Amino acid sequence: MSKNRNKEPLSPEKAAPIVEAFIIRARRIQSHSMVQSGAVRKLASPSMKLHFSENGSVEMQEQVPENEEIFESLAARVRPLTLEREPVYFPTVVSAILTASKSASEYHKQSLMELQEWFNGRVIQKTTKAYAIQIFDKEDEPVTGYLSDNLIAECWLYSDLVHANPNKKKAQALELRYEDRYIAATSYYCDIAVHALKLLNILREMIDAGELSGIGDKCWTDAVTASTDGSSYTKTVELHDVYVGPAGSVPPSNGPISEVPGFQKATFTWMRRMVSPQSRAECVLLDESGGVVEEHPAFFNIKDNAEIYLFIDDALMISAPLPSSELRKVPGTKTPISIGFMGSGENDGRKLLESIAASSQTLIVFAVDGQLVSLKLNLSRISDKPDCSRNDTK
């Protein structure tokens, strides 16, 4: 975006051509295949999904357009709305509409002001952002400050799509992977496209209501680029460590996040317990006096109402026949169990087995159908190599 320049106030005569030029530009955006398919509205609100697997890996999925070249054409159609030197610069268009209208309703005036405020925060000041990224080196030292999604998106447009000379602030985003810049750009420019169409709809309403006159019919009938079908796909990125903090909390700009109070490493077991609290279980290791030596989070699944699977701290999986409700009330009922390692957590699994063997008593406590069940582990008959073939975590 160019620097601010002093401009002469718009007259109604000069305002009308600006409004007409915007209508043509907005119709070009509206005709784009990604708008017609609904992909633009979907991508305008970025979302991400984290998939935690039992082997400790984490994958992040984000929605991006399937065809990068098609998205590039959308970004090109949207771009003039963000450039101050262009006659269809978003704030210029809003000003032109208000100037050309002699009888705008308070409702439409308010709607126009809300769109202007959105543009100020999202595009000009960049105070409104969906997310921010900060890069750390191997020693957990920050390489960059927080890079907002709109700044990253503009870096993609200036360095990857149109030019090769982003300014110093935008150039920081070149430290990111190309995919990160592309993902930020898709939501950002789709968001601008959605708001441009909102402005177009307001224009239609004002013209239909007789609040805006002097706009030629030609801008509504001129041919614009025809649309083609578009689609989207899910992009999967494998992550390393993921931490979750209280809502509204901001990660530190320096130092490891693992040492920040309130931030919890999101593991497979942790996520399952959070998403399905009714499946929570606890593995407790006791000493001879009954004192707690170790506690390990766990969760359970019941398959076909006949077998129970217990998963302990991303390390061990225990399967056993599900006792009947009557047997659950009988203390000391013996149940054969099978123990295996979770995913690639064999080392952690063996360490946990050693701790269990060294404890005086190990209990796994959970609730089934409102009944509290306490499973006491007896390792005297477990082989050195637990059976790892059974691994039902779905």
Side-chain angles (χ1 to χ4, degrees):
M1 187 181 303
S2 61
K3 296 181 179 179
N4 291 330
R5 296 171 297 178
N6 294 325
K7 293 184 178 181
E8 296 180 2
L10 282 174
S11 64
E13 294 74 21
K14 292 182 178 180
I18 292 175
V19 175
E20 292 172 354
F22 170 77
I23 291 172
I24 294 175
R25 171 59 54 169
R27 287 179 57 229
R28 285 175 60 82
I29 294 172
Q30 189 175 45
S31 71
H32 196 278
S33 60
M34 288 181 60
V35 175
Q36 297 298 310
S37 69
V40 161
R41 188 167 294 278
K42 181 179 180 181
L43 293 166
S45 299
S47 62
M48 60 185 67
K49 295 181 180 180
L50 298 179
H51 292 263
F52 295 83
S53 64
E54 62 192 69
N55 63 10
S57 65
V58 184
E59 291 183 340
M60 179 176 66
Q61 293 183 341
E62 296 181 271
Q63 293 295 317
V64 295
E66 182 178 19
N67 191 310
E68 183 177 358
E69 294 177 354
I70 291 177
F71 170 71
E72 288 178 354
S73 71
L74 174 71
R77 295 185 193 190
V78 169
R79 188 190 181 216
L81 303 180
T82 67
L83 299 176
E84 188 183 2
R85 63 177 176 271
E86 294 286 345
V88 292
Y89 180 52
F90 201 100
T92 302
V93 174
V94 172
S95 177
I97 294 172
L98 292 172
T99 300
S101 175
K102 298 179 180 179
S103 58
S105 66
E106 288 302 317
Y107 171 77
H108 286 134
K109 287 181 181 178
Q110 180 64 30
S111 299
L112 290 170
M113 289 299 97
E114 289 175 357
L115 286 177
Q116 180 62 66
E117 290 174 6
W118 166 84
F119 190 89
N120 288 342
R122 189 81 170 105
V123 180
I124 299 178
Q125 300 170 359
K126 296 179 176 53
T127 53
T128 305
K129 43 189 175 287
Y131 60 87
I133 298 177
Q134 186 176 32
I135 303 173
F136 288 79
D137 59 22
K138 294 181 179 179
E139 284 71 39
D140 283 329
E141 293 296 325
V143 177
T144 68
Y146 281 105
L147 306 175
S148 65
D149 63 315
N150 28 27
L151 180 68
I152 298 169
E154 289 184 351
C155 177
W156 172 83
L157 188 139
Y158 278 86
S159 64
D160 300 311
L161 179 61
V162 180
H163 306 293
N165 58 339
N167 62 33
K168 185 175 181 180
K169 194 170 184 180
K170 293 186 181 74
Q172 291 185 75
L174 293 176
E175 297 288 339
L176 298 170
R177 301 174 308 150
Y178 178 84
E179 287 82 355
D180 294 321
R181 298 194 295 275
Y182 178 57
I183 289 171
T186 57
S187 60
Y188 180 69
Y189 289 106
C190 284
D191 192 19
I192 297 175
V194 166
H195 283 79
L197 297 181
K198 288 181 180 179
L199 185 55
L200 181 64
N201 288 334
I202 291 175
L203 269 171
R204 286 196 178 101
E205 292 176 1
M206 293 179 69
I207 292 174
D208 291 342
E211 299 175 17
L212 186 61
S213 58
I215 305 302
D217 294 334
K218 195 171 181 294
C219 62
W220 294 105
T221 58
D222 276 352
V224 293
T225 303
S227 63
T228 56
D229 291 335
S231 59
S232 62
Y233 75 106
T234 299
K235 182 175 181 63
T236 299
V237 178
E238 184 172 343
L239 304 177
H240 295 286
D241 293 337
V242 175
Y243 286 82
V244 179
S249 58
V250 178
S253 58
N254 51 42
I257 194 172
S258 58
E259 298 179 2
V260 179
F263 280 86
Q264 166 72 42
K265 184 176 180 180
T267 64
F268 180 69
T269 300
W270 187 87
M271 289 297 297
R272 286 298 298 266
R273 286 163 57 92
M274 183 181 71
V275 174
S276 303
Q278 70 278 7
S279 68
R280 292 183 179 182
E282 304 295 334
C283 178
V284 184
L285 281 62
L286 306 175
D287 58 21
E288 294 179 354
S289 61
V292 176
V293 178
E294 294 180 19
E295 290 185 78
H296 295 272
F299 68 93
F300 69 91
N301 283 340
I302 295 177
K303 184 177 181 181
D304 300 328
N305 205 32
E307 195 163 14
I308 186 166
Y309 291 83
L310 291 150
F311 304 89
I312 306 174
D313 208 2
D314 286 21
L316 292 180
M317 180 196 73
I318 297 176
S319 62
L322 181 65
S324 64
S325 57
E326 290 76 17
L327 286 177
R328 293 174 208 161
K329 301 177 183 179
V330 180
T333 301
K334 294 184 178 181
T335 302
I337 65 173
S338 174
I339 296 183
F341 300 126
M342 288 182 64
S344 61
E346 182 172 345
N347 290 335
D348 292 337
R350 291 194 179 280
K351 289 180 182 178
L352 183 52
L353 283 176
E354 291 174 1
S355 296
I356 292 173
S359 67
S360 295
Q361 185 173 244
T362 298
L363 300 177
I364 302 178
V365 183
F366 53 95
V368 179
D369 298 330
Q371 294 182 2
L372 189 64
V373 180
S374 179
L375 178 64
K376 180 180 179 181
L377 293 186
N378 183 352
L379 297 187
S380 61
R381 301 179 63 184
I382 294 179
S383 64
D384 291 335
K385 295 182 179 180
D387 177 15
C388 302
S389 60
R390 308 183 73 174
N391 199 3
D392 293 297
T393 61
K394 295 182 180 179

